[in-house]
Amino acid sequence: MSEASTLFKVLLSVVLIAAPAVAFSLLYRTAPYGRHGARRVGPTLSTRMGWVVMECPSALAFAHFFFRGPNSLDAVPLVLATLWLLHYVHRSFVYPLEMRVGANATIPVAIVSMGFIFNMINSYLNGTWVSTYGSYPSSWFDDPRFFIGVVVFAAGFFINRQSDAILRTLRGPGETGYKIPEGGMYAFVSCPNYLGEVMIWTGWAIATWSLAGLSFAVFTAANLVPRALANHRWYRDTFPDYPRTRRAVIPWLL
């Protein structure tokens, strides 16, 4: 076993083992940013800057590890990489500029640092798998797993973008504070942006049919589902007229 493949397997195991621990922790202690960021948590960065620093490895490091691989110019790996980068170039460099946050909004350096480290590891695992360790001949385009995965990815991408757009237009010029979001998947859940994100990486896991993809989908759910539950409780506690039929993140279920 080569040293590189040993590192890959060790980091993959770390992510898979860490996911349930993260989910359990976040069920009892909500990450302190956004509407849950009132308590003191040490040094902070501006929200926009912190978001760019935290997310940029998902675009830059993924591209680096992907294009180092011997199969990076093959058709299927290129399509898969395009899907990944389509999401993360926007999420890393465009979304922070679109965020409706106050001039003094901050995010803890600890949160940014943990996100940066995870995104570096995750980009290494998925970029390396798709272009080096995985096997994706052109016939993969005809495989039901590729088709189903891309459809789920695209549906999640649409839900995620639509939900973010609704949040951006929720407040008028000069308005502050929180409102109840309406429209799109907000008719069914409190956090459709998180639902979309989970769907995106579930679709990626199916389309790549890989443990690297599965580890990311599981870790995404472990991070976002507890946050969605916390946001859902917050909405219900804050707004007496909050729609009682809405669930937190999965329509009609959770």
Side-chain angles (χ1 to χ4, degrees), residues 11-20 22 53-59 61-62 65 84 87-88 109-127 197 201 204 211-224:
L11 291 177
L12 180 60
S13 299
V14 168
V15 174
L16 288 170
I17 292 170
V22 167
V53 171
M54 180 169 61
E55 295 291 340
C56 69
S58 297
F62 177 90
F65 292 120
W84 180 288
H87 176 78
Y88 268 121
V109 170
I111 296 291
V112 173
S113 300
M114 288 187 289
F116 181 91
I117 292 169
F118 171 77
N119 287 329
M120 283 292 295
I121 293 171
N122 188 50
S123 296
Y124 163 73
L125 290 174
N126 282 278
E197 191 85 13
W201 302 119
W204 171 266
L211 282 176
L214 178 64
S215 71
F216 189 19
V218 169
F219 200 93
T220 299
N223 184 39
L224 294 185

Side-chain angles (χ1 to χ4, degrees), residues 21-254:
V22 167
F24 183 80
S25 173
L26 291 177
L27 283 172
Y28 294 96
R29 185 177 178 84
T30 305
Y33 64 92
R35 60 175 57 87
H36 306 289
R39 65 181 184 270
R40 295 179 63 86
V41 288
T44 61
L45 288 173
S46 74
T47 296
R48 287 192 175 89
M49 177 60 69
W51 193 273
V52 172
V53 171
M54 180 169 61
E55 295 291 340
C56 69
S58 297
L60 302 180
F62 177 90
H64 169 75
F65 292 120
F66 175 80
F67 284 110
R68 288 180 62 189
N71 305 319
S72 61
L73 298 183
D74 292 352
V76 175
L78 274 176
V79 169
L80 292 170
T82 299
L83 291 176
W84 180 288
L85 292 172
L86 179 67
H87 176 78
Y88 268 121
V89 168
H90 178 276
R91 182 61 65 182
S92 302
F93 305 111
V94 179
Y95 175 74
L97 300 177
E98 297 175 336
M99 297 169 74
R100 295 288 299 273
V101 296
N104 298 320
T106 61
I107 185 171
V109 170
I111 296 291
V112 173
S113 300
M114 288 187 289
F116 181 91
I117 292 169
F118 171 77
N119 287 329
M120 283 292 295
I121 293 171
N122 188 50
S123 296
Y124 163 73
L125 290 174
N126 282 278
T128 301
W129 174 265
V130 170
S131 68
T132 301
Y133 297 133
S135 176
Y136 299 105
S138 295
S139 59
W140 191 252
F141 285 130
D142 300 321
D143 194 291
R145 291 168 291 185
F146 178 80
F147 175 77
I148 293 169
V150 170
V151 168
V152 174
F153 185 104
F157 187 88
F158 174 80
I159 291 170
N160 183 262
R161 293 292 188 274
Q162 181 192 56
S163 303
D164 283 346
I166 290 171
L167 289 180
R168 284 197 305 273
T169 59
L170 196 57
R171 294 191 295 262
E175 290 184 328
T176 59
Y178 289 94
K179 294 183 177 180
I180 299 175
E182 303 285 352
M185 289 297 292
Y186 283 104
F188 303 100
V189 295
S190 295
C191 300
N193 47 344
Y194 295 167
L195 169 63
E197 191 85 13
V198 171
M199 289 177 63
I200 286 170
W201 302 119
T202 299
W204 171 266
I206 297 170
T208 61
W209 205 248
S210 64
L211 282 176
L214 178 64
S215 71
F216 189 19
V218 169
F219 200 93
T220 299
N223 184 39
L224 294 185
V225 171
R227 180 113 184 142
L229 293 171
N231 285 356
H232 186 62
R233 289 192 299 269
W234 182 90
Y235 275 121
R236 287 192 162 189
D237 292 341
T238 304
F239 299 102
D241 58 341
Y242 194 72
R244 308 305 295 180
T245 57
R246 284 192 195 178
R247 295 294 183 259
V249 66
I250 301 176
W252 307 293
L253 295 177
L254 181 64

